[in-house]
Amino acid sequence: NRDNIDLNRTFLYNLDHDPSFNPEYDRIAKFLNPGTQVTNLLLDDIGYTLKLFWHIARMGMKNFRYALLLGQYRDAKGLYYGGTKRPEETQTLMDLYKQMMTSYDQVLHLDMHTGYGPRYQMSLVNSAYDKGTSDYFVERFNYPLVVAATADEFYAIRGDMVDYEYLLWKNEFPEKRFFATAFEFGTLGDTMYGLFQSPRVMIHENRAYWHGARDEELLAQAKHGFEELFNPEAKDWKEKAVKDAERAFEGILKAEGTIRG
């Protein structure tokens, strides 16, 4: 939002912004937000690559991604910042979800995301609080790629919206029928290129936003990379995304009894 708060790190069932949370983020904070103006993308990319290799070598790829994506509540200019109090946008949605669970016996929520995962295969990302296995949901929904929002299967998040809904359901509305999942349309892919490129794009955009760029062209390049990370221009990507979504919608709606199979 306008305060640099990543709203999908703010859906905490118990409001707790522990300042010591995710201490590993501090080890890469300077790398993620160097605090300087963008002046030369080529030199920045060389420096980024060398530093990224160094961090991965000392932390391991899994730990690096965990520290990066989990969320943090200290660096207001950093990536995946969850703020220090619950944003208005988050509270509005929480109130809406509670209203829906109060009003209906069955609630189904499908949350749309773009970003991580294979470029040409949308992932269904289930909450870590759902007891069903990914293999179970592959069969149940007749959809080929289902993962849980954990460090082992996808990546872990603190303050995730779907996780909040599960906790709300389990703690306050256990008698209701409920299921929620996220459609994650990968953009840069889960190859080494995508794994390396995604943080680079986020870093450049965040850096340009806070500290500016030497000229308008560099600023435009930083913004374009960010847009491609979440809304690719490629026609074949959009066509495949629609096909994957249609298959997932059909499988989920049939399994939940909303449409006939």
Side-chain angles (χ1 to χ4, degrees):
N1 69 4
R2 64 185 179 183
D3 299 316
N4 191 46
I5 295 174
D6 185 327
L7 297 176
N8 208 37
R9 303 301 188 279
T10 65
F11 284 82
L12 300 169
Y13 185 75
N14 295 310
L15 189 57
D16 175 20
H17 293 88
D18 181 0
S20 64
F21 175 75
N22 191 10
E24 291 298 298
Y25 181 90
D26 295 338
R27 301 177 67 184
I28 58 175
K30 187 66 177 177
F31 167 65
L32 300 176
N33 187 13
T36 56
Q37 185 184 61
V38 178
T39 58
N40 187 308
L41 284 185
L42 177 59
L43 292 178
D44 283 347
D45 285 348
I46 293 174
Y48 164 81
T49 302
L50 293 175
K51 292 174 184 177
L52 179 65
F53 274 120
W54 184 74
H55 283 297
I56 291 175
R58 69 187 181 88
M59 297 175 68
M61 175 60 85
K62 182 177 178 180
N63 290 335
F64 175 81
R65 281 171 54 82
Y66 184 82
L68 169 65
L69 299 170
L70 185 62
Q72 54 88 17
Y73 303 91
R74 296 181 298 283
D75 184 2
K77 293 184 178 181
L79 298 180
Y80 305 109
Y81 172 58
T84 57
K85 61 182 179 180
R86 184 172 289 158
E88 180 182 3
E89 302 96 322
T90 301
Q91 188 61 59
T92 298
L93 287 172
M94 285 180 168
D95 293 343
L96 179 62
Y97 298 149
K98 193 163 187 176
Q99 177 187 337
M100 293 302 102
M101 289 196 184
T102 300
S103 303
Y104 297 97
D105 292 329
Q106 180 180 3
V107 176
L108 170 64
H109 182 204
L110 304 178
D111 184 26
M112 303 295 118
H113 285 250
T114 56
Y116 289 90
R119 180 172 172 86
Y120 291 104
Q121 183 62 65
M122 183 266 285
S123 308
L124 288 180
V125 185
N126 288 341
S127 170
Y129 293 107
D130 196 300
K131 294 182 179 179
T133 67
S134 294
D135 288 341
Y136 164 77
F137 284 108
V138 165
E139 183 176 352
R140 175 172 169 77
F141 297 147
N142 187 30
Y143 190 80
L145 183 57
V146 182
V147 296
T150 64
D152 291 330
E153 294 193 26
F154 193 62
Y155 63 82
I157 311 172
R158 185 182 193 231
D160 175 68
M161 184 171 66
V162 175
D163 283 353
Y164 166 79
E165 291 178 285
Y166 267 85
L167 290 174
L168 177 66
W169 168 56
K170 289 177 182 293
N171 285 288
E172 301 181 36
F173 302 93
E175 75 282 2
K176 303 297 179 79
R177 179 176 173 181
F178 171 75
F179 177 74
T181 191
F183 287 29
E184 183 82 31
F185 299 89
T187 55
L188 299 182
D190 58 353
T191 61
M192 290 303 294
Y193 169 80
L195 294 175
F196 279 41
Q197 185 77 345
S198 295
R200 185 196 73 84
V201 169
M202 295 289 290
I203 291 170
H204 279 331
E205 191 279 336
N206 190 58
R207 184 178 172 190
Y209 175 80
W210 288 112
H211 306 289
R214 184 188 61 199
D215 52 48
E216 289 298 319
E217 182 179 354
L218 284 174
L219 186 61
Q221 288 177 348
K223 289 182 177 179
H224 178 71
F226 188 77
E227 290 168 358
E228 279 293 300
L229 178 58
F230 294 104
N231 184 26
E233 294 180 351
K235 183 179 178 181
D236 64 336
W237 180 86
K238 294 180 183 294
E239 290 174 346
K240 183 59 164 59
V242 170
K243 289 181 180 179
D244 289 346
E246 288 176 342
R247 179 173 178 179
F249 275 127
E250 182 178 8
I252 293 171
L253 294 178
K254 284 182 178 179
E256 291 297 308
T258 307
I259 61 175
R260 294 182 179 179

